[in-house]
Amino acid sequence: QSVLTQPPSVSGAPGQRVTISCTGSNSNIGAGYDVHWYQQLPGTAPKLLIFGNNNRPSGVPDRFSGSKSGTSASLAITGLQAEDEADYHCQSYDSGLSGSVFGGGTKLTVL
Amino acid sequence: QITLKESGPTLVKPTQTLTLTCTFSGFSLRKSGVGVGWVRQPPGKALEWLAVVYWDDTERYSPSLKSRLTITKDTSKYQVVLTMTNMDSVDTATYFCAHQQLDGGNWFDPWGQGTLVTVPS
């Protein structure tokens, strides 16, 4: 069982907006540690999508955005496209574990 | 451009020790704040952080696996080695190494392509 909790799956039609939640606790997200998001296309390694809660690396479309509040964070994807179909993972740091922690991953299906 | 690549056995017998090497380029593990971490992903399951080594030789391990893991770095060879003892079928997973920057929020970027390690039951 992952330290950070994500919904197993979400779906949306092309052009729609979807959000993926990432819920932690007072030893990780709630303690002020940053949340990062990764996109993992089938059969490939994860790729950094959002860092520091709401920052996009160069090359990531502005359709992707992140936010954080309290012990939770969210990834929003607007203008859904077929190519967005992938697994999405959140990551933070946990002071109790003294290391990185991940969410269970969320599979996004574009209908 | 930073790149990383994992190498090691694809098949390990139960109770054996796994040794994986991460060979990287485009950065130096002598630079302040730089680290290389290992993450694994069992087939169809979540990512699990394993260990990280930083430029100053600091090592951190997942508490649940700490007794079985050792991470070392060879700065001159641009390599980081992860060993995991007493392998079991539940350790079957794709193992990734990734670049980290301690003072940059410690995210993983970029990642190696990963290497699938199978432990038969």
Side-chain angles (χ1 to χ4, degrees):
Chain A
Q1 190 159 346
S2 302
V3 173
L4 306 179
T5 300
Q6 298 179 234
S9 63
V10 297
S11 63
Q16 285 190 333
R17 177 181 187 267
V18 296
T19 61
I20 299 172
S21 61
C22 175
T23 303
S25 66
N26 289 327
S27 62
N28 41 69
I29 298 175
Y33 294 107
D34 286 343
V35 177
H36 319 299
W37 292 89
Y38 303 89
Q39 179 191 59
Q40 186 175 27
L41 297 171
T44 69
K47 170 193 158 188
L48 182 67
L49 192 65
I50 297 287
F51 65 93
N53 305 316
N54 56 14
N55 301 286
R56 288 185 308 275
S58 173
V60 173
D62 59 6
R63 301 186 296 104
F64 296 90
S65 62
S67 63
K68 174 189 156 185
S69 178
T71 58
S72 295
S74 288
L75 173 71
I77 310 172
T78 59
L80 209 55
Q81 300 180 3
E83 67 203 50
D84 299 333
E85 192 161 283
D87 293 328
Y88 293 84
H89 309 271
C90 61
Q91 177 236 327
S92 186
Y93 178 86
D94 191 283
S95 58
L97 300 174
S98 297
S100 296
V101 288
F102 286 94
T106 299
K107 180 175 180 59
L108 168 63
T109 300
V110 181
L111 302 171
Chain B
Q1 178 194 6
I2 292 175
T3 64
L4 306 97
K5 187 173 184 179
E6 307 85 353
S7 59
T10 57
L11 186 66
V12 176
K13 294 181 180 179
T15 75
Q16 286 187 337
T17 294
L18 171 68
T19 300
L20 294 173
T21 301
C22 177
T23 303
F24 58 87
S25 64
F27 67 95
S28 172
L29 259 175
R30 290 190 176 96
K31 185 178 179 181
S32 177
V34 172
V36 172
W38 286 91
V39 175
R40 71 178 179 179
Q41 184 176 36
K45 296 190 177 181
L47 299 171
E48 179 184 18
W49 173 70
L50 300 177
V52 60
V53 61
Y54 292 107
W55 85 104
D56 61 353
D57 296 324
T58 299
E59 302 162 18
R60 294 285 182 263
Y61 297 97
S62 167
S64 63
L65 293 167
K66 183 179 173 65
S67 64
R68 299 173 53 205
L69 294 174
T70 303
I71 189 169
T72 59
K73 64 181 178 68
D74 188 327
T75 305
S76 60
K77 288 185 177 180
Y78 291 82
Q79 290 182 333
V80 170
V81 175
L82 181 76
T83 61
M84 180 180 291
T85 61
N86 195 23
M87 292 291 285
D88 181 86
S89 58
V90 299
D91 298 312
T92 293
T94 296
Y95 288 75
F96 300 97
C97 63
H99 169 271
Q100 292 187 266
Q101 186 73 30
L102 181 61
D103 54 358
N106 225 15
W107 55 81
F108 297 88
D109 181 54
W111 297 57
Q113 64 187 26
T115 185
L116 176 61
V117 177
T118 301
V119 185
S121 55

